[in-house]
Amino acid sequence: MNLKTFTKTVLCFALFAVSAITAKAADHLAIVGDAVWGGWDLVKATAMVKSPNNPDVFMATVHLNAGKGFKFLTEREWGKLEYRSGASDVVLKSGIKYKLYASKGASEDGKFKVSESANYEIICDLARKTIEVKKVAYQAKEIRYAALWMIGDATAGDWDYNNGVLLSQDSGNPTCYTATVELKEGEFKFTTNKQWGYDNSVYIFRDVNDQNKIVFGGKDNKWRITEDGMYNVTVDVPAKTISIKQIDDPAGHKPQFGNDVILVGDATIAGWNLDNAIYLEHTGQAGRVFKTTTYLEAGKGFKFLSMLSYDDIDYRPTNNTVLNPGVPGTFVPSLPSSTDTKFSVERSGNYDIVCNMNNRTVVVTLSENQVLVNYPALWLIGSATSAGWNPGKAVELKRSEADPAVYTARVQLKKGEFKILTSKNVGFDQPTYYRDSTNEHRIVFGVDGDEVAKKDCKWTLSENAVGTYDVTVDIEAMTIFCDKVDLDESSVESTDKELILIGDATYSAWNLPKSIVMTPVGPTTFKAVTHLEAGKEFKFLTELAWKRYEYRAESSRKELQEGSMSMLVPYRYINDEDDKDHDFKFVVKESGNYEIVCDLYIPALIIRKVRYQDTPVTYSSLWIVGSATPGGWTIERGIKMTQDENYPTKFTAKANLVPGELKFATNKFADFTQDFFFRGKDDYTAVLGGNDNKWNITEAGTYSVTIDVASKRVTITKPARNAPTGISTVDSSDEAPAEYFTLNGIKVTNPSSGIYIKRQGGKTTKVFVK
């Protein structure tokens, strides 16, 4: 039974704000090449540092040698995903962004270079596929490393080099690396590239004769910490020195033991069961200050964990401590072997709890609202949500500040089911709110193994109920209301900037560079007119890469009915096993040329056969690229051509061109391995692929450019009021008789080679007759 508040009116391609998609292009990025100190030695590759604000941006400040080449690796192995300069080497100029080309099996192995040896800041944006270098102020000494990482059992990451503690370059002297870090009894050393594993040639050890000195490689001598505490650590690479100073006043420090603060204890509803643990939320204040509001029972204990485990560091008082409202209590990071002390409160009630990791204090105050409060947030999960059945991606219902028993969210829902979790950080064996089997507006509470959980009763949406909803849950009244929202199209901005059609139902098959680029026709709407082959499959990508974020069918080999809406299911790649179970695709029953419209607001698609069926339409978009265009040979900056609605094999564009060459690209997101239309036997004939023959423009001006990919005919003309063309072909599409005149206005019956004014059917153009 559907929620009564869900209307049966289908949103026919209305637009909505989809959740932001951040698809990591790579987990690691490292520089190799004879422009950097490590050369082409993979072990000595220069690791870049990921931006804290964007997982697709990597940065490094290092020395580059003039005239020498470099590129970027994502793994410590040749033949994997790399980022290069394309078909030829590119000399980078300071402060200018250039195109990054992903290898993806391509043979072009162009390198980047600089014209001046110097220290540079290098910024790679893998989402936008750009690289920029900037010469930095510091040039006193060559900088080898973008960062150092501390590893060892004295650190939070132990000997797992992936969790090494970052030492950042000093802003004034980037050959020095610093960190304020919380250390415990144990040992540590440094690595120059935490992605590459245990290889002594990239490790920094303690000088056996002087613990204040460092050595590169050699024997595995480490530094030893004998007292838990906060430390300032500074490594000066050129001087080969190290300073390790314990801090007496910990105010303002940033602990390294985990990114979470988790409340457990028999004073809470969670008890000591980690599955029910309460995650505190970051307050948004500087540093690490976390908060939650929950019920605490008097006389019972609680503490905080840094990770969801009792085998790691936790935060507890030095002695059992009763917290007085508003009075800070202090805690220390403790090992599992330490005395297991706890906090408690004298009075049962709802408390606002603020845990300040910067100065190691916790403050509890009685909440204004004393209705039973259990959870800092609730989470929608299910096939009707964008999260699917992945708890880690569940959709948050935020708790109301005015009434902490009420949780709300505006959410896009599609055909499927959902229920409500109490935590997104653990699996399904947790307290959960289900649908009452007799009343769709009532919620029931269940825990693992009880009768409510066994029934697993969920809310269900039909295909006609998809849309945007305001969801309100009241855990005191035990109610849920879902109210459909009509959004203003103009207020919606799409976060999917591209959509790509791919599959063996299309001309491209499963070849990424030959895939069909769909045209944006609204903030969240994309369209393509192309040929689909019956019984063969296709789906949609949001970027030109596998294992990212895609839109797929809701069931295996979903057959599309012409003119009917079918749901698009968003899927973010998790692993091969999960991908195999969810890789559903679309098919059509009859081969033909179709208009395909995808609206990511719903998200859904509609297809219909177009009138033109004379020949299969292979491409939905073309781009003019070349030195004659404003974008040069950067394909992504090519001039977009418009597909003719009545004759979709024909593409046109008005283009401001300068002297130079041009050709036609078929995929603005692909590199030079894609299909191109080149100049054929003459200026008005095109060929697909083959020799790299281009059209030549000799004079600047505004041109009308047309290409028909079915007849392979091309016209490049310039209005008569402009300067003479360097190239044009006779437009013979109009059947009216043509008249030719010299530039001085004299009529010519049989024009020979040269430039003439042509008048035909009321249309006048300047043409070049060969």
Side-chain angles (χ1 to χ4, degrees):
M1 182 176 179
N2 299 328
L3 288 173
K4 292 179 181 175
T5 50
F6 292 171
T7 70
K8 294 185 177 180
T9 302
V10 177
L11 290 178
C12 187
F13 288 81
L15 304 176
F16 72 104
V18 295
S19 300
I21 300 172
T22 304
K24 290 189 299 183
D27 289 320
H28 307 292
L29 202 65
I31 312 169
V32 292
D34 49 17
V36 292
W37 81 277
W40 296 104
D41 187 344
L42 289 181
V43 169
K44 296 179 180 178
T46 302
M48 302 186 73
V49 179
K50 188 176 293 188
S51 166
N53 302 317
N54 188 333
D56 286 322
V57 175
F58 292 79
M59 301 175 290
T61 300
V62 293
H63 187 270
L64 296 175
N65 296 314
K68 303 287 182 73
F70 65 95
K71 59 181 179 179
F72 304 90
L73 305 183
T74 61
E75 296 183 47
R76 184 191 174 183
E77 187 176 349
W78 300 114
K80 301 294 185 180
L81 176 62
E82 301 179 3
Y83 286 89
R84 309 165 177 166
S85 65
S88 58
D89 292 351
V90 170
V91 178
L92 303 173
K93 294 182 179 179
S94 182
I96 299 176
K97 291 182 180 179
Y98 293 79
K99 176 74 173 176
L100 276 174
Y101 291 90
S103 61
K104 300 177 184 174
S107 58
E108 290 85 2
D109 193 17
K111 314 295 190 305
F112 295 104
K113 296 180 179 179
V114 293
S115 58
E116 178 186 2
S117 295
N119 293 325
Y120 293 88
E121 180 188 29
I122 306 168
I123 304 171
C124 292
D125 187 331
L126 303 189
R128 293 179 172 83
K129 298 184 177 64
T130 60
I131 176 176
E132 181 179 3
V133 299
K134 299 176 183 177
K135 189 176 176 182
V136 298
Y138 179 88
Q139 297 293 335
K141 297 176 183 176
E142 292 186 6
I143 305 169
R144 284 192 170 187
Y145 312 108
L148 301 179
W149 287 268
M150 180 188 299
I151 63 168
D153 56 14
T155 72
D158 209 311
W159 291 108
D160 180 1
Y161 51 83
N162 287 313
N163 291 320
V165 177
L166 175 69
L167 277 77
S168 301
Q169 288 174 312
D170 185 276
S171 58
N173 180 2
T175 61
C176 287
Y177 305 81
T178 63
T180 298
V181 57
E182 194 165 4
L183 299 174
K184 57 182 185 289
E185 184 179 355
E187 298 179 310
F188 69 87
K189 56 186 177 183
F190 301 94
T191 177
T192 60
N193 189 335
K194 74 168 186 174
Q195 4 177 337
W196 270 200
Y198 288 103
D199 188 307
N200 285 354
S201 64
V202 295
Y203 275 76
I204 297 175
F205 301 104
R206 177 179 61 84
D207 188 311
V208 68
N209 297 315
D210 187 344
Q211 65 177 359
N212 297 315
K213 292 282 190 180
I214 62 173
V215 294
F216 291 83
K219 294 184 179 180
D220 192 14
N221 298 312
K222 311 175 190 73
W223 288 269
R224 179 155 192 88
I225 296 296
T226 58
E227 183 178 351
D228 295 356
M230 291 298 304
Y231 289 82
N232 281 334
V233 180
T234 301
V235 176
D236 187 326
V237 168
K240 295 185 178 180
T241 60
I242 183 172
S243 169
I244 307 169
K245 295 181 179 179
Q246 189 169 8
I247 304 171
D248 294 327
D249 178 10
H253 81 268
K254 183 178 179 180
Q256 303 295 320
F257 297 122
N259 295 316
D260 296 313
V261 178
I262 306 164
L263 174 63
V264 292
D266 53 9
T268 75
I269 191 172
W272 296 104
N273 183 347
L274 292 181
D275 290 341
N276 301 338
I278 299 170
Y279 281 72
L280 278 69
E281 298 176 335
H282 198 284
T283 62
Q285 295 176 235
R288 286 168 45 93
V289 183
F290 297 81
K291 67 176 181 179
T292 192
T293 299
T294 194
Y295 184 82
L296 296 176
E297 188 173 346
K300 295 191 175 180
F302 64 93
K303 61 181 178 179
F304 304 92
L305 306 181
S306 60
M307 301 178 186
L308 199 66
S309 168
Y310 289 120
D311 296 325
D312 289 291
I313 294 293
D314 59 41
Y315 304 106
R316 57 179 85 149
T318 53
N319 298 296
N320 288 325
T321 300
V322 178
L323 294 173
N324 294 315
V327 179
T330 59
F331 58 80
V332 293
S334 301
L335 297 171
S337 58
S338 306
T339 303
D340 195 10
T341 52
K342 316 278 193 322
F343 293 108
S344 63
V345 293
E346 284 188 324
R347 173 186 166 184
S348 296
N350 294 334
Y351 284 86
D352 297 324
I353 304 171
V354 177
C355 196
N356 189 327
M357 308 305 293
N358 299 325
N359 58 19
R360 298 185 185 178
T361 62
V362 57
V363 177
V364 299
T365 52
L366 281 162
S367 303
E368 183 177 339
N369 190 303
Q370 286 299 313
V371 173
L372 180 63
V373 175
N374 293 341
Y375 304 103
L378 298 178
W379 306 88
L380 287 181
I381 189 170
S383 56
T385 74
S386 60
W389 290 106
N390 185 342
K393 297 177 181 177
V395 179
E396 183 180 10
L397 287 155
K398 293 184 179 293
R399 186 163 52 196
S400 166
E401 292 186 5
D403 186 350
V406 173
Y407 300 78
T408 61
R410 175 164 289 184
V411 60
Q412 291 80 43
L413 297 175
K414 56 181 182 290
K415 180 183 177 183
E417 300 175 313
F418 71 87
K419 57 185 176 181
I420 304 168
L421 302 181
T422 54
S423 173
K424 67 177 292 187
N425 300 291
V426 295
F428 290 100
D429 298 335
Q430 60 168 292
T432 301
Y433 288 96
Y434 301 91
R435 178 187 181 277
D436 186 289
S437 59
T438 62
N439 186 338
E440 61 203 4
H441 295 299
R442 299 288 298 173
I443 62 175
V444 290
F445 184 77
V447 295
D448 185 42
D450 70 7
E451 289 304 313
V452 172
K454 287 177 182 178
K455 288 181 180 179
D456 197 21
C457 190
K458 311 176 191 74
W459 290 269
T460 304
L461 282 80
S462 70
E463 188 165 325
N464 289 336
V466 297
T468 302
Y469 289 85
D470 283 336
V471 179
T472 303
V473 175
D474 189 324
I475 63 172
E476 180 188 20
M478 297 297 281
T479 59
I480 180 172
F481 291 95
C482 300
D483 297 311
K484 202 164 192 178
V485 180
D486 291 325
L487 294 181
D488 177 11
E489 177 175 328
S490 64
S491 68
V492 179
E493 181 180 357
S494 172
T495 55
D496 293 297
K497 301 302 183 186
E498 58 194 75
L499 198 66
I500 297 162
L501 169 64
I502 193 165
D504 52 9
T506 72
Y507 165 82
S508 70
W510 295 104
N511 187 329
L512 282 175
K514 295 183 178 181
S515 56
I516 309 296
V517 177
M518 301 189 71
T519 300
V521 292
T524 61
T525 309
F526 298 81
K527 183 177 82 170
V529 175
T530 192
H531 188 269
L532 297 175
E533 191 170 342
K536 295 195 175 179
E537 299 179 322
F538 64 94
K539 61 180 177 179
F540 303 90
L541 310 179
T542 60
E543 57 182 302
L544 200 67
W546 301 116
K547 299 184 178 181
R548 301 294 170 78
Y549 195 91
E550 303 178 358
Y551 286 94
R552 303 175 174 177
E554 57 187 330
S555 60
S556 179
R557 292 180 61 81
K558 171 72 174 177
E559 187 175 286
L560 298 174
Q561 303 299 318
E562 187 175 359
S564 296
M565 181 182 293
S566 295
M567 300 308 299
L568 287 167
V569 177
Y571 176 85
R572 188 187 295 279
Y573 177 83
I574 300 171
N575 55 55
D576 288 342
E577 193 63 29
D578 184 79
D579 187 71
K580 179 181 66 176
D581 295 336
H582 294 88
D583 197 10
F584 300 144
K585 307 179 184 74
F586 299 99
V587 297
V588 293
K589 189 175 182 179
E590 183 179 357
S591 297
N593 294 328
Y594 288 87
E595 179 188 72
I596 306 157
V597 180
C598 294
D599 193 329
L600 306 185
Y601 170 78
I602 293 176
L605 77 141
I606 287 179
I607 67 166
R608 65 173 184 87
K609 269 195 170 182
V610 298
R611 210 166 175 190
Y612 179 90
Q613 296 293 332
D614 297 350
T615 184
V617 179
T618 50
Y619 300 101
S620 183
S621 301
L622 293 180
W623 289 265
I624 307 171
V625 298
S627 57
T629 71
W633 290 109
T634 302
I635 298 173
E636 201 167 5
R637 295 180 59 202
I639 299 171
K640 176 80 163 58
M641 304 190 75
T642 302
Q643 189 176 32
D644 190 291
E645 290 187 5
N646 297 316
Y647 300 95
T649 62
K650 186 177 179 180
F651 298 83
T652 60
K654 274 247 192 260
N656 293 319
L657 303 177
V658 297
E661 296 179 317
L662 65 85
K663 57 185 177 182
F664 300 94
T666 59
N667 191 325
K668 71 174 288 188
F669 302 115
D671 55 21
F672 285 90
T673 62
Q674 67 176 285
D675 285 340
F676 286 91
F677 282 98
F678 298 106
R679 180 182 177 278
K681 61 182 179 181
D682 50 44
D683 287 333
Y684 46 88
T685 303
V687 294
L688 182 63
N691 294 328
D692 192 15
N693 298 318
K694 310 175 190 74
W695 287 267
N696 186 45
I697 301 296
T698 59
E699 295 195 30
T702 301
Y703 290 77
S704 294
V705 183
T706 301
I707 177 171
D708 189 325
V709 299
S711 65
K712 303 295 193 299
R713 296 285 294 176
V714 174
T715 64
I716 305 174
T717 60
K718 188 166 69 168
R721 64 178 179 274
N722 290 342
T725 63
I727 174 172
S728 182
T729 60
V730 179
D731 184 355
S732 60
S733 61
D734 193 332
E735 295 181 358
E739 296 179 297
Y740 293 89
F741 300 84
T742 67
L743 298 179
N744 293 324
I746 301 172
K747 186 174 182 179
V748 179
T749 304
N750 296 305
S752 58
S753 177
I755 298 173
Y756 296 87
I757 295 176
K758 171 189 169 186
R759 186 171 66 198
Q760 184 177 25
K763 178 181 178 182
T764 302
T765 57
K766 248 182 199 145
V767 297
F768 178 77
V769 178
K770 302 190 81 174

